[in-house]
Amino acid sequence: MSYPVTIIVASTPRPTLAIGKSLTNDMPWPRIPSEMSYFSRVTRRVPTSPPNSGSKYTNAVIMGRKTWDSLPTKYKPLAGRVNVVVSRSASSTTSAFGELWVENIEEGVRLLKQKLTTSSSSISSGEGTSLTGEKEGTLALHKIFIIGGSQIYKLAMELPKTSDAFPTRILHSTILTPDYAAEEGVDVFFPPIDETQWTKGDLDQLVEVTGEKRETVEGLREDNGVTFEFGVWERKL
């Protein structure tokens, strides 16, 4: 059984695709509440469980250790999602918040398949639920999101088509103005998006794959002094 693997990222426009500053392990732009809320809704949104099924659906987020470390303690783990952390020292790391530690992205996907049952694409859309207190086997995996940082994005983009972790979609929030790529200290970037391998989706596709209302993701958005837009790229298979 294959699971949809989606990369979700915010960056400056192509071709620069700047996403951060290594010195501070942070993004170049200020907090954008509406973009952060979009990220939370989309990565938590799951189908409604069928009656008397005895299970509920959940998504998983896969991230690198630096991304995990950058999360404030009060937000660990990211609620309503299975948290998977990729680290070369995973075998010697003890879970403190219920997160899963793995040595690479593909191991993470394999572990999710082992621990969670199978989701069905025919069930109507619903909202995600908290994982607190859930027993293994009562959760069904729906989607997998790769949420950074730069090295994890790079490794994901380089995975072969034969890999179970092969990403087929990029949800891309483009930070348009100000020009944060030109700021001092910006030195972390998302890999190039090759248009021979990826196709830019339209608004209808974005609404379909995210479950968002059209008016929530349409056109240019402004929040906290930042202009940005939501978009989607689909892999040419």
Side-chain angles (χ1 to χ4, degrees), residues 54-56 58 82 115-117 130-140:
S55 66
K56 62 177 64 173
T58 186
V82 178
K115 286 185 169 291
L116 304 176
T117 56
S130 172
L131 306 182
T132 304
E134 294 298 333
K135 296 179 181 179
E136 185 172 314
T138 65
L139 293 172

Side-chain angles (χ1 to χ4, degrees), residues 109-163:
V109 172
R110 286 195 296 269
L111 187 61
L112 289 167
K113 290 168 108 176
Q114 291 170 7
K115 286 185 169 291
L116 304 176
T117 56
T118 305
S119 175
S120 169
S121 60
S122 62
I123 304 192
S124 62
S125 178
E127 288 295 327
T129 55
S130 172
L131 306 182
T132 304
E134 294 298 333
K135 296 179 181 179
E136 185 172 314
T138 65
L139 293 172
L141 182 62
H142 180 51
K143 292 180 179 179
I144 299 171
F145 291 91
I146 295 172
I147 67 171
S150 61
Q151 185 62 20
I152 299 301
Y153 285 141
K154 180 177 184 295
L155 292 171
M157 293 283 277
E158 293 174 349
L159 286 170
K161 188 176 181 179
T162 53
S163 171

Side-chain angles (χ1 to χ4, degrees), residues 8 17 19 26 38-39 41 55 62 101 112 114 135 146 158-159 161 173 176 192 206 211 215 224-225 237:
I8 185 165
L17 298 173
I19 61 174
D26 202 1
Y38 164 85
F39 170 89
R41 289 193 306 272
S55 66
I62 297 178
W101 287 80
L112 289 167
Q114 291 170 7
K135 296 179 181 179
I146 295 172
E158 293 174 349
L159 286 170
K161 188 176 181 179
S173 298
L176 297 168
L206 180 62
E215 60 268 24
N224 199 18
L237 299 176

Side-chain angles (χ1 to χ4, degrees), residues 61-106:
V61 289
I62 297 178
M63 71 194 85
R65 181 189 57 78
K66 288 184 179 180
T67 298
W68 172 258
D69 288 345
S70 72
L71 297 175
T73 301
K74 65 180 179 179
Y75 294 126
K76 289 182 178 180
L78 293 176
R81 292 145 287 189
V82 178
N83 287 221
V84 180
V85 185
V86 178
S87 172
R88 287 190 293 271
S89 60
S91 60
S92 60
T93 303
T94 302
S95 172
F97 299 90
E99 74 280 9
L100 304 175
W101 287 80
V102 297
E103 293 188 353
N104 57 66
I105 298 169
E106 291 178 297

